[in-house]
Every structure is written in structure tokens, then in C-alpha cells.
Amino acid sequence: MQNDKSRQKSTACRTVYVTELTDGILDPERAMLGPVADGGTIIANTAPGCWGPMITPAIRGGHEVTRPVAVEGAEIGDAIAIRIRSIVVTSAATASGSDSVVTGRNNGDPFCAAVCAECGTEWPATHIEGIGQSAIRCDKCGADATPFKIENGYTIVFDDERSIGVTVGKARAEAMAPDAAKIMALPDTSIQNPVMTFAPADLVGVATRLRPFLGQLGTTPSKAMPDSHNAGDFGSFLLNAPHKYALTPDELARNKTDGHLDVNSVRQGAILICPVKVPGGGVYLGDMHALQGDGEIAGHTCDVAGVVTLEVHVIKGLAIDGPLLFPVAEDVPYLARPLSTIERQRAEALGKANGVTAIERDAPVTVIGSGATLNEATENGLKRAADLFDVTVPEIMNRATMLGAIEIGRHPGIVRVTFRMPLKKLEEKGLAGFARSLYDLA
């Protein structure tokens, strides 16, 4: 009967459907959706990130992510475990490529402080005239107003199963450009100029596989900041910047949540655990990528729209500074994979022959590190891991070397520090259940 009463008092929804998008700013002062119940589901229609928002000066954050959702019971100093139940690509095609910044069209940062070079309007509203890289026009004066151009790019189409993509020639790219919003399946609430308008075609006849993931998934920072800068590397662009979103080094370190990951193992089946730095946590997502090699070395990849289903759980008292990841088993680095039954039997026999009476029972975990450079990000990840498990940084260094790996998430400054940790330590932090749900622990 007590449980029935508590359910009656709760105002949380078991499922929250998200169709609203932000203007690119994550602001803890703005009202959140929800709350969603602890253990509940968030279903969201996400907009393409990177290129579309980058060529839409009115979007102030480099991306167009979903409006954050509060989670019932999540308090500052807790964490929220986000299980990615499904990711479905809805775009039938997209375009991308390496970028070049257009001089004179920003106030210190083209991602979040765009300016029309002709009339001086900040964050100008724009419209599309025709196709090509001069098609984005200022509503006020009519000037070409895109802050970025594609330096070397491609237009890529997907099969119906969203398993294979092929880059097309200029004629096909230009034929699709007028219908870009429809082909890319932009959400109804999106205001971005679709990047297929540019019709790039420098790479033609290249085939690749799709494996979608979320470039943005996390919790709301405790100070307003552009969404694409909610990370240690891109966030460094905000330090002493000349625009209104400038932060000091202390403000960035204290308030960011590293929700802009671009880690390609944040995909269907994985579990991402995020810090809570504002009441309710404020789970948001977006920047879905159809595919990406480690590092996103071109700076951009195949941004797509899609539908995502998440399951959220509050972990009380897990005071982490940045995300933890339990990847799907296929994505765990070779040395970090749990021992099989046969391997454990061999290890126990070898240990017994050499005076070792017990072989550690452990499981893999990934700690995300971020910083202005990959070296700084690695140091950050190692320290976060050591602080979390109450061990020394040298121990984590050894574990990542002999029981794991350091992998690039995004160049220049997101890394994955993966290692096996004793199940006892994971139990102490309330994390062992996530590992057991994903991995075969002999």
C-alpha cells in the first residue's frame, strides 16, 4: 500500500517524448521537460548536429540538441545512468566534410558568436537562396552569411536498412539539394539550414558502413554555455573569449559535464553514466552520427536526424566530474575484455603454480577524459578514474596498460581510459550491476 501511495504522489512520467530543440545554449536557468521517473524512458527526435547548425548563425552553440529532461530524484552530487535502448537513423542522406572559417563573420568564435559581415547583426536570422556554398543569406541585408564553408566534402546516400552509404557525384548532389530538409528528415522544430544545400562532391563513389551513435549525450552544465563547448577541448575556446558566453578556466572546469563526447562507442546497447550538476540532472541529446572513425579527425562526420530511446536511472551519491561508459562487449578493447572461463582456469592454474592463491574478479569500465589537448585529456581521465575508485593514478596507468587501452574519442581532446577494475570496487560505487548486464563475467 505504501508503494501505491508513493506512486500517487509522484508527478514524474514513465515516458517523456521530446520534440523540442534548444537554440544551441545549455542553460540551467531554463525550464526542463519532465520530470521522467527514475527508471523511466526518454524518447527523442534529434536533429543533425555540426554542419547544419554551423551554417545557421541564429543557432548559438554549434549544435541543435534536445531540450533537457529532468529526472525524478536526481540531486547535485548524484549521477544518472543512461542506457541507450535504440538509435534509429531517419535521414536518407547527408553531407559533410572538413571546414574552413570565413573571416569576419564571427565575434571570436564561429560556432557560437556569428556576425553578419555586411550589416553587423549578431546571430542573424537567415534564409536559403538557391544551392551551393553561397546560398545562406542574411534576412536583414541579404549578404552571404554562413560562418563556415566546406573545404573538402561529400554528399552521401544511405540504403533503406541504414547499413551502407555511398558518396554521389555533383549532379546527384545538386539534384537533391533543393529537397535537403525532407531528405535529411529534419525534425519539425529544427531551424537549421540543411547542409545538403551546399551539395559538396569532392569524394565520389566511396562506400562505407553505418554504425550510428550520439555525439551529444549528457546532463546540463551548471552554468550556461554553448552545447558544442560542453567539453574540455571545445570548452577551451570559451576561455576569456570576447563574447557573452566567455568563461574563466575555473568556471569551465567546475560547470561543464562533458556531454559533447563524439565517442563512437556511445551507441545502441551501451550505458553512459553522467554527473548531476543541477537539480534534476537535465538529460539532453543530439548530434547523431551515422558513422565515425576514432578521433573524428576531419572535424566532422555524417550528421543525421534520428529517433532515440533512452532508459534513465539515478545513482545516489556517485559524485563524478565527467562521464563513465560501459560499452557494448564488441567495443571493449582486447585487453580489457573479461577473461573467459577457459582463460580464468588457465590463470588460476598458473597462479597456483607460482604461489598466487586468488585471481582478481574484475570487469571493464571506461572513464572519459577531456582537455584542451589529448595529453591533457589523458591526464584528466586517469585522475578521474583514480579519484572515483580511491586508488592512485599510477595504478590506473598500469591497469590501462596491461588490462585496457587509451583510445581517442575526438581530436583534439576527448579520450577513453578503459581498464578492468575489481568487481568489489565496482560494487562499492553501485556500478557492478551495469557491468554484469553487458558482459559475460566468468
Side-chain angles (χ1 to χ4, degrees):
M1 190 67 176
Q2 185 178 0
N3 288 339
D4 290 340
K5 288 181 179 179
S6 64
R7 280 199 294 268
Q8 290 171 6
K9 292 178 181 178
S10 174
T11 59
C13 302
R14 295 301 306 169
T15 303
V16 172
Y17 296 90
V18 185
T19 59
E20 298 179 50
L21 304 171
T22 70
D23 62 355
I25 299 299
L26 295 167
D27 188 346
E29 298 300 319
R30 295 180 184 176
M32 298 179 186
L33 297 174
V36 66
D38 182 5
T41 300
I42 298 171
I43 300 175
N45 183 195
T46 67
C50 290
W51 269 111
M54 284 165 50
I55 62 172
T56 309
I59 296 176
R60 303 186 180 199
H63 289 135
E64 199 176 23
V65 299
T66 58
R67 184 176 164 190
V69 177
V71 180
E72 184 181 38
E75 301 172 320
I76 296 172
D78 295 336
I80 297 174
I82 305 172
R83 189 184 291 269
I84 306 173
R85 288 297 187 185
S86 68
I87 297 179
V88 178
V89 175
T90 52
S91 298
T94 190
S96 190
S98 56
D99 70 71
S100 61
V101 177
V102 182
T103 303
R105 297 183 186 174
N106 70 85
N107 181 22
D109 189 329
F111 290 97
C112 63
V115 177
C116 176
E118 294 296 321
C119 65
T121 302
E122 294 182 305
W123 303 291
T126 55
H127 60 279
I128 297 172
E129 293 183 11
I131 64 173
Q133 298 208 61
S134 299
I136 310 304
R137 297 285 168 170
C138 175
D139 281 358
K140 184 175 181 179
C141 71
D144 181 357
T146 179
F148 294 91
K149 296 290 178 74
I150 292 180
E151 190 173 42
N152 182 277
Y154 51 89
T155 299
I156 183 168
V157 297
F158 308 132
D159 65 350
D160 289 342
E161 292 73 29
R162 303 300 192 264
S163 63
I164 290 289
V166 173
T167 59
V168 300
K170 193 67 175 176
R172 180 59 179 151
E174 290 181 344
M176 290 190 292
D179 296 318
K182 179 180 178 181
I183 293 170
M184 293 187 70
L186 296 189
D188 295 333
T189 55
S190 173
I191 66 166
Q192 68 179 259
N193 298 314
V195 67
M196 286 180 66
T197 301
F198 280 7
D202 296 305
L203 292 173
V204 181
V206 177
T208 188
R209 303 177 185 89
L210 271 64
R211 193 170 75 170
F213 70 98
L214 293 170
Q216 287 259 18
L217 179 62
T219 46
T220 301
S222 46
K223 188 176 178 65
M225 65 180 66
D227 51 18
S228 63
H229 293 27
N230 182 23
D233 51 356
F234 275 81
S236 65
F237 301 158
L238 300 175
L239 302 181
N240 304 311
H243 53 75
K244 67 182 291 185
Y245 302 113
L247 298 174
T248 66
D250 176 68
E251 286 175 327
L252 177 64
R254 181 161 31 93
N255 295 293
K256 68 180 176 65
T257 60
D258 284 347
H260 182 204
L261 295 170
D262 285 335
V263 167
N264 59 15
S265 48
V266 180
R267 65 186 182 103
Q268 182 171 306
I271 300 169
L272 188 71
I273 300 175
C274 304
V276 175
K277 295 192 176 183
V278 298
V283 175
Y284 72 92
L285 61 152
D287 192 27
M288 184 187 294
H289 296 172
L291 55 100
Q292 180 197 293
D294 285 359
E296 196 182 20
I297 203 64
H300 309 284
T301 185
C302 300
D303 302 300
V304 290
V307 177
V308 180
T309 302
L310 308 174
E311 183 182 299
V312 295
H313 297 270
V314 176
I315 308 175
K316 301 300 293 183
L318 184 66
I320 53 177
D321 181 55
L324 312 176
L325 176 65
F326 288 93
V328 297
E330 180 184 356
D331 292 347
V332 176
Y334 178 71
L335 293 178
R337 294 173 187 171
L339 296 180
S340 68
T341 300
I342 292 176
E343 288 172 327
R344 175 161 291 281
Q345 289 171 349
R346 290 175 177 173
E348 289 172 346
L350 181 61
K352 184 177 180 180
N354 287 275
V356 178
T357 58
I359 299 299
E360 177 180 285
R361 295 275 178 178
D362 51 28
V365 61
T366 296
V367 176
I368 303 297
S370 78
T373 67
L374 290 173
N375 283 345
E376 290 182 25
T378 301
E379 292 173 3
N380 175 252
L382 292 170
K383 186 176 186 307
R384 282 177 169 175
D387 289 346
L388 172 62
F389 293 112
D390 304 311
V391 298
T392 65
V393 168
E395 177 176 333
I396 298 297
M397 293 170 68
N398 280 327
R399 286 184 175 276
T401 300
M402 66 179 297
L403 302 171
I406 304 293
E407 300 171 290
I408 299 174
R410 175 181 62 238
H411 190 276
I414 298 289
V415 301
R416 292 169 283 185
V417 179
T418 304
F419 50 93
R420 277 189 270 134
M421 201 67 191
L423 278 169
K424 181 179 178 180
K425 286 283 189 180
L426 293 172
E427 291 279 10
E428 290 173 358
K429 300 298 179 179
L431 300 172
F434 300 114
R436 289 193 176 97
S437 73
L438 289 175
Y439 313 126
D440 183 8
L441 304 180

